[in-house]
Amino acid sequence: MDILVSSVVAGVLIGMVLALVALGLTIIFGVMDIVNFAHGEFLMLGMYTGLLTANATGMDPLLGIPVAAVVGYLLGVACYWGFIRFLLRGPMVAQLLGTFGLMLLLRNLALLLFGSEDRGVNTGILVGRSVDFGMGVIVPATKLAAAALSLVSFAAVWMLMNRTRVGKALTATALNAQAARYMGIPTERMNALAWGIGGATVTIAGALIVNFWSVNPYVGLLFTMIAFTIVALGGFGSVPGALAAGIVVGLLTEIPGIWDFVAYATEWDWMMDVPVTSFKYTFVYLAYFVIMVVRPRGLFGWKH
Amino acid sequence: MPALLEVMELTKVFGGLRANDGISFTVGAGEILGLIGPNGAGKTTLFHCITGFHRPERGTVRFDGRDVTGLPPHRIARLGMARTFQTYVAGGDLTVLETAMVGCFSRTASPFRARSRAREILGFLGLAGLADLPIRDLPVAGQKKVALATALGTEPKLLLLDEVAAGLNPGEIGELMDAIRHVHEERGVTLIVIEHVMELVMNLSDRVLVLDSGRLIAQGLPHEVAHDPAVIRAYLGEKYAARYLGEASR
Amino acid sequence: MEALRAAFDFSDFRPTERWVSRAVAAFLLVFPLLPVSSFAMATMIQFLMFSLYGMGWNTIGGYGGQVDLGKAQYVGIGAYTTAVALIRWDVPFWVSMPVGMGFAVLWSFAIGYPLFRLRGHYFAIATIAASLVLKDLFEVWDFVGAARGLEIPAHRFATPDFVRLIFKEDVYYYYVLLAFFFGGVLYMNAFRKSRLGYQLRLIKDNEDMARSLGINVHWAKVKTYAIATAFVSMVGSFHACYIKSIEPEDTMSLDLSILIALMAMLGGAGSLWGPIIGAGILIPLKSYFKEWFGARAGLVGMDLILYALIIMVVSAAEPRGIWGLVERYRARRESA
């Protein structure tokens, strides 16, 4: 029973963080219909930012979050003005391959700058501490903090999108760029802003994640695929959708744990032999496939 | 003689809007049926429902004795119903001939035969000289003619034309009318024609149907329909219709 | 019969194009006879392979208009079928290759049928997802060597072995592949003039109109996808016999899928020569970059950075690829 509860809890917590990773992607897609393959690379750079800030200043890694946010924002905006806006004019093939090129560029720049070994955070007030919830559920404090901060970020973005003028302008651009332009909304700048916010949220997520997940230049792709699945499930363009879907996907990654629980409970030995852990993320890819076939609009999506 | 097309109680709803509301009519083989009505009356929606692009909420469509309601468009097309579209989106690099060939490919698998059939059809529609031009280089009128040629390539029993005359000057309209007559007589194709160009519809049609706000408000011979008060009201609105008909306005 | 004639009929190409292609064909035929380094030979073989991959991709991605970023899974199916068949049961290449193609086509139907209900980005991402799922499966499946992969022990066979396609010298591989290459070009030539070829072009432009002409759009796309996968699987089988050592990470990776798509896109998706031009530029570029930069320590990944920049520039500046540039230039000359 313990396995089940702790798997579920772990799934929900990681899900909240993954949701934050996906948030940027859904905003960018909502506002301008471009799928960003380099999304995971932004995350990876956020992770390095968090790591390096902690190492350089000797301060707690959690304090690296604002730095990461700024870096992410600037990076997003720079990518938009320097590259993405040219892609938007072209056909979809070009957009896909273009952002893929960006992904390769960022990944290999990171390789050049940081080397290929795994690096992780090993100092900080929360590292090594855990919280005991009883029922055999022990959660590392870093993960708990990450989930909590992720929720805070979500709330902040939601407020931004729905309660501020800028946010409403963004939503307007997302719904109908032409009409927005007629209303006097500077859509080019809205696009850049979307990239900025997208970049910032995902680098924040990176700074959070690096506390319990080591980073190397290649982690990007996995997170990109996870983010795509979350966005597809939650609905392209939907902020609450991203949160709900993120939690679901987080639970999916805990299937090995749940599987073990079922194997234990039912005593079906054959279940023990299946190397489920290797398939941790395969389930996520499968989920994407199934979602697109069964309900392409996702749970809350309004853009298809 | 059984009708070629029977539409019964066809209803299509979009959200709160009844685009087609209980429409019923028949088309006999060899007829030319005109379909007119103010903008937004639901004419194109009706076409979509008949040809399988929309699924009606209620009602049935019988074509050549078969119930085709809700069948996918390509199946209905293969049964012998062809159509053109109100807006032709010409994007790629297909030439006039190549586009027409696709129509012919529904009847033959051989590119050689498809090409010669397509040339023949382009010939009698007066498009032979344009065969190798990319279709997007043609003016809208030309593109619509090519769409007509392509639809003819499928050797349909019933052809639905959606505003083929829009944007044509009088000379072109005359040419088009001749072509349609020719198609009708030489190839025995039954036609339903949506049009706003009254000259074409009224002169070509054997019968005319009038739609307004999703409902069928009149059907009959062209001159009958032209004098029907309900039709006049639909087009001119209450105020002007009253004046035109000499009725006292309230 | 008509298809055969169509395959050899290049008359609808301009004379310049025909002369250039004849020259290139002649060059390809005599290349091994020239005094070239083994590095150049290996690069040429890569070029031919990737041209073929690109041609296969072009069927569904170029003519079909659906961007497929999961082609590598079919390379894997072809490569593994041949490798496993040879290692375990000594099956000749000429048998295992069509069998591999058969498996590839079956798999393509299995995922293609649901897949083609999607368009655009959703379709592209789904192809990636499917490809990664298959790769993950291969990485844990012991029958195919899991993550370690498989090795074809070349020394076991008496070379040159045309039945199993094992050779000591690249020259043999080159000519066998060249035969495939010419065959591929002829096939594509026939394809673009076939009924399906025309139908695809209309579907790409205006799906509704295609439907109204009796075309079952879904099925047309599935068929085209199957053709593309057969092409790719065929070359995958060859890959196994040539490289002799395969593992999921290099035969089925996303990077390979993207590279294949890139060949066709860079050269010009939707044209016959596009993939060949694309491969002709990218493969030598990639090989030589690696040679120059890879050797220098501290510049790790520099070749990939340059390569990434090329992708980015092409996508932003001329998404229709080199062939798009050629056509633009021609159009301007003609209207002047």
Side-chain angles (χ1 to χ4, degrees), chain A residues 250-267:
Chain A
L251 285 168
L252 278 177
T253 64
E254 284 297 320
I255 285 185
I258 301 176
W259 183 277
D260 282 345
F261 166 71
V262 175
Y264 224 40
T266 57
E267 287 180 20

Side-chain angles (χ1 to χ4, degrees), chain C residues 43-238:
Chain C
T43 306
M44 277 305 260
I45 292 183
Q46 288 282 317
F47 158 70
L48 291 173
M49 279 175 63
F50 275 93
S51 295
L52 278 164
Y53 283 139
M55 279 190 247
W57 187 92
N58 199 23
T59 335
I60 183 65
Y63 293 116
Q66 303 253 172
V67 178
D68 177 0
L69 296 176
K71 277 270 158 291
Q73 58 190 312
Y74 301 107
V75 174
I77 294 180
Y80 273 99
T81 309
T82 296
V84 169
L86 184 59
I87 293 175
R88 285 185 190 244
W89 303 302
D90 205 20
V91 173
F93 172 80
W94 305 101
V95 172
S96 65
M97 182 194 73
V99 169
M101 282 164 79
F103 284 142
V105 168
L106 279 172
W107 181 242
S108 82
F109 280 137
I111 62 172
Y113 199 76
L115 211 72
F116 279 104
R117 291 209 248 139
L118 308 171
R119 316 263 189 91
H121 329 287
Y122 310 95
F123 175 80
I125 300 171
T127 56
I128 298 179
S131 178
L132 287 174
V133 167
L134 197 65
K135 172 163 166 271
D136 279 357
L137 281 171
F138 271 65
E139 277 187 338
V140 296
W141 193 13
D142 284 318
F143 182 71
V144 295
R148 299 175 322 270
L150 293 173
E151 273 244 19
I152 295 183
H155 53 83
R156 238 211 275 163
F157 306 103
T159 57
D161 186 342
F162 282 94
V163 170
R164 297 182 189 77
L165 221 71
I166 307 283
F167 309 111
K168 262 217 195 62
E169 282 144 39
D170 274 359
V171 151
Y172 295 102
Y173 283 117
Y174 180 85
Y175 278 114
V176 170
L177 191 57
L178 192 62
F180 277 125
F181 176 79
F182 286 136
V185 173
L186 291 171
Y187 180 84
M188 289 305 292
N189 196 26
F191 178 79
R192 75 188 172 93
K193 291 186 281 186
S194 71
R195 183 180 184 212
L196 184 57
Y198 279 104
Q199 290 178 333
L200 275 183
R201 286 165 71 193
L202 184 65
I203 290 174
K204 197 169 160 197
D205 256 7
N206 193 335
E207 263 194 44
D208 279 344
M209 185 176 175
R211 281 201 189 92
S212 74
L213 296 170
I215 299 174
N216 185 339
V217 170
H218 190 103
W219 180 236
K221 288 183 181 176
V222 172
K223 264 195 284 187
T224 309
Y225 188 58
I227 294 175
T229 61
F231 244 92
V232 169
S233 162
M234 175 181 84
V235 186
S237 291
F238 177 87

Side-chain angles (χ1 to χ4, degrees), chain B residues 96-97 100-101 104 112-132 187:
Chain B
V96 166
L97 179 62
M101 277 170 75
C104 299
F112 178 74
R113 253 176 300 208
R115 185 170 284 121
S116 55
R117 286 275 299 133
R119 275 200 206 279
E120 194 206 318
I121 294 177
L122 288 179
F124 95 47
L125 282 178
L127 295 167
L130 307 171
D132 294 317
R187 294 178 184 237

Side-chain angles (χ1 to χ4, degrees), chain B residues 198-220:
Chain B
M198 287 303 157
E199 179 197 334
L200 191 146
V201 164
M202 295 309 193
N203 283 316
L204 274 182
S205 313
D206 298 320
R207 277 190 306 140
V208 175
L209 261 57
V210 188
L211 249 56
D212 181 32
S213 303
R215 264 182 246 114
L216 185 61
I217 61 172
Q219 57 175 308

Side-chain angles (χ1 to χ4, degrees), chain A residues 13-14 17 121 140 142-144 146-147 205 207-214:
Chain A
L13 289 178
I14 191 75
V17 183
V121 165
T142 47
K143 288 197 188 177
L144 201 55
L208 291 173
I209 290 178
V210 76
N211 289 296
F212 53 84
W213 195 312
S214 28

Side-chain angles (χ1 to χ4, degrees), chain A residues 53 59-68:
Chain A
T53 322
M59 288 198 293
D60 192 275
L62 287 176
L63 298 173
I65 291 172
V67 180

